[in-house]
Amino acid sequence: MFEQQLGELIAGTQGGTCWALAYVNIDRFREINNAMGVRAGDEALAQFSRRLLDLTGNRDLVCRLGGDEFALVIQNHCAREQLEGTVARLVNDISRPIVVSGGEIELRVSIGVSLFPADGRAYEELIRAACSAMNQAQRDGGGVYRFFDRSVNIMEERRLTLQQGIRKGLQRGEFFMVYQPKYSIGRQQVVGAEALVRWNHPALGLISPVEFIPLAEGNGEVIEMSEWIVDTVCRQIVEWKGRGIRIVPVSINISPVHFWRGSLVDTLRSAVQRWQVDPALLPIEVTEGVVMDSSEKTMHVLEELRALGFHISIDDFGTGYSSMKYLSDLPISELKIDRSFVMQIPEDGVETNGASTAIPRAIIQLATEFGLSVVAEGVETQAQKQFLVEHGCDVIQGYLFSKPLSPEDFASLL
Ligand code: C2E
Ligand code: MG
Ligand code: MG
């Protein structure tokens, strides 16, 4: 009926008039149901509906779309400021506590707004636009309204396309690995590599892991991807070995999702068995957040990995939280200084106040005291390299020495 009413409104709207469609969602309604029971939830919905009707005063153009989602039309608002005022008031007036038999419920809503005719001239279009704006309101923390924004929508669509393409992409061989050398200044030789994943999307081209790893983490597919990566890197090592190339350890990045939710130990153990690869050739890079979670499970995984012969490296060190006390007890072997700290090393190598280089110096010292190796990430200039070597960091990884390379190019470099 709402669709029909809206259709009539669309047909009857004279040129020059405008109105807006608001998509209303109650924030965390599932939690209300879970905490107070579905009966209280039903009661809350009924009261909420009445409140919505009272606030708008037009019964024909308010509707419950389903669940905790409602839509309503705000008429005759051509000026954006005026409309914003109305929607802001709506968010405010709806978000009052509701009393149900089980107690009081704090209600908050997210509202998305689409405009007729700017955002669409048909029911479907307008609803979709308002819903997308509502999703944005929720992503911004809820309890707010957002107007439909085409650019946000394009990003949203891209995200969806990527997210839905991961599993198929893995099956179709759209992912591949590149290898960035770790270089020892003292020994003047490549002492390792970091395996980095890439996605060659059939429609969208080359996609960075910065974009797709979080998406794969969001739906758990990162575990499948990670299994594929471990397997691919092992196969690569075997292939290099077969050609008589000098083999160096190739580290693999492990997502927290795989570390905590997946069977990481099994994945790694079976891969090195299957490919007959020495675990010492497959260091694992994880971020501080992963290893500093001082739970028994974490400790257990780390110790199992160490017992199997894998080395653990802490990636982006210094950007998260580390407990110094805990750090000394962890079975880890390497710290990687994050690129953001390396970037702060002054170009002329002259320190003005010491602050810009305090962190890289401190990390190098910490690693030395704890008997850990240290690698500087993102080294791009001679000055940075000079500084690092003078302060005791021998191994660098960065564009100065080499960008990530294809397996072929990495083999030639070795
Ligand atoms: P990360 O593990 O800290 O990897 C280092 C990133 O810095 C890489 O970006 C690398 O290409 C880049 N980099 C290295 N040297 C330089 C430099 O001199 N200048 C600049 N500007 N950048 C440099 P990439 O390959 O885009 O990877 C970004 C992040 O994505 C990685 O950060 C890691 O967190 C994640 N990632 C990449 N590959 C994988 C993977 O196979 N599995 C998982 N779970 N995460 C991955
Ligand atoms: Mg890494
Ligand atoms: Mg890093």
Side-chain angles (χ1 to χ4, degrees):
M1 187 177 146
F2 183 67
E3 184 172 350
Q4 195 185 330
Q5 298 282 355
L6 210 74
E8 278 167 28
L9 182 65
I10 290 168
T13 302
Q14 312 282 330
T17 8
C18 18
W19 44 268
L21 178 68
Y23 198 110
V24 183
N25 185 288
I26 305 177
D27 294 337
R28 296 193 297 268
F29 188 70
R30 189 196 303 267
E31 285 174 26
I32 296 174
N33 262 338
N34 288 344
M36 312 196 54
V38 283
R39 199 178 293 270
D42 284 349
E43 251 180 83
L45 281 177
Q47 284 196 41
F48 181 82
S49 309
R50 243 170 273 130
R51 186 178 286 177
L52 211 53
L53 289 170
D54 290 345
L55 283 172
T56 54
N58 185 344
R59 306 192 74 87
D60 291 345
L61 293 170
V62 180
C63 145
R64 177 178 175 216
L65 294 165
D68 58 350
E69 305 203 316
F70 297 81
L72 59 101
V73 170
I74 302 168
Q75 273 179 300
N76 298 323
H77 281 302
C78 278
R80 176 72 175 244
E81 302 88 76
Q82 198 191 352
L83 181 60
E84 293 223 14
T86 305
V87 183
R89 255 194 319 278
L90 193 63
V91 171
N92 195 47
D93 294 346
I94 304 180
S95 307
R96 277 180 289 121
I98 276 183
V99 181
V100 293
S101 35
E104 200 177 73
I105 297 174
E106 202 66 51
L107 277 191
R108 264 193 357 170
V109 295
S110 297
I111 297 186
V113 181
S114 62
L115 307 175
F116 178 90
D119 298 329
R121 293 174 166 277
Y123 175 80
E124 272 304 326
E125 266 179 287
L126 287 163
I127 276 281
R128 203 177 323 127
C131 179
S132 146
M134 188 279 292
N135 284 326
Q136 186 58 44
Q138 286 190 324
R139 277 197 297 275
D140 291 343
V144 293
Y145 67 89
R146 291 288 178 259
F147 279 71
F148 175 65
D149 177 342
R150 219 163 280 281
S151 64
V152 168
N153 208 44
I154 289 169
M155 272 159 52
E156 173 85 339
E157 263 170 41
R158 179 181 167 93
R159 209 162 43 202
L160 216 65
T161 309
L162 291 178
Q163 192 152 40
Q164 288 169 350
I166 292 172
R167 180 156 290 155
K168 216 178 282 167
L170 278 170
Q171 288 157 3
R172 294 186 181 167
E174 290 164 14
F175 291 86
F176 62 96
M177 303 306 295
V178 289
Y179 300 86
Q180 188 176 33
K182 294 180 181 175
Y183 181 73
S184 158
I185 303 166
R187 281 181 274 168
Q188 297 198 11
Q189 88 179 171
V190 175
V191 290
E194 174 173 12
L196 297 157
V197 65
R198 298 286 179 266
W199 185 5
N200 195 0
H201 191 280
L204 300 172
L206 194 64
I207 315 286
S208 155
V210 176
E211 190 174 3
F212 67 76
I213 292 281
L215 297 177
E217 286 176 334
N219 61 14
E221 281 170 3
V222 76
I223 296 177
E224 245 171 87
M225 186 182 296
S226 198
E227 285 166 352
W228 175 83
I229 289 169
V230 170
D231 201 65
T232 305
V233 172
C234 284
R235 181 187 311 132
Q236 189 60 64
I237 291 175
V238 169
E239 198 254 342
W240 282 330
K241 215 189 267 172
R243 285 159 53 190
I245 289 160
R246 176 175 71 92
I247 301 299
V248 293
V250 182
S251 42
I252 294 181
N253 293 282
I254 294 294
S255 147
V257 175
H258 193 189
F259 193 92
W260 282 319
R261 273 206 271 143
S263 42
L264 177 63
V265 176
D266 289 342
T267 306
L268 289 168
R269 189 198 291 120
S270 65
V272 293
Q273 272 169 5
R274 191 165 53 251
W275 292 101
Q276 292 292 301
V277 167
D278 179 359
L281 290 176
L282 277 191
I284 302 305
E285 288 190 13
V286 287
T287 48
E288 277 165 286
V290 174
V291 284
M292 287 301 154
D293 152 69
S294 56
S295 70
E296 255 172 53
K297 158 120 178 150
T298 302
M299 208 58 188
H300 187 66
V301 172
L302 290 175
E303 254 148 24
E304 262 189 294
L305 290 176
R306 189 188 26 205
L308 287 166
F310 292 97
H311 297 288
I312 310 287
S313 165
I314 303 189
D315 206 351
D316 309 339
F317 188 78
T319 60
Y321 300 96
S322 279
S323 145
M324 294 301 141
K325 179 184 172 306
Y326 191 53
L327 192 64
S328 61
D329 296 338
L330 281 174
I332 54 170
S333 25
E334 182 181 85
L335 299 184
K336 295 190 81 176
I337 307 173
D338 190 62
R339 186 167 78 91
S340 57
F341 303 128
V342 173
M343 271 165 59
Q344 283 170 20
I345 297 170
E347 251 331 278
D348 50 9
V350 180
E351 289 213 46
T352 37
N353 55 14
S356 56
T357 60
I359 298 175
R361 280 186 289 128
I363 297 177
I364 295 168
Q365 205 173 343
L366 193 69
T368 315
E369 300 281 332
F370 286 163
L372 304 171
S373 353
V374 58
V375 178
E377 282 189 306
V379 179
E380 294 185 353
T381 68
Q382 281 295 343
Q384 291 165 350
K385 171 182 154 184
Q386 200 54 38
F387 177 91
L388 288 160
V389 75
E390 273 167 20
H391 287 84
C393 174
D394 175 57
V395 180
I396 57 168
Q397 178 185 344
Y399 295 172
L400 177 68
F401 181 70
S402 169
K403 291 205 167 183
L405 303 171
S406 68
E408 263 322 298
D409 291 347
F410 186 71
S412 317
L413 179 75
L414 276 179

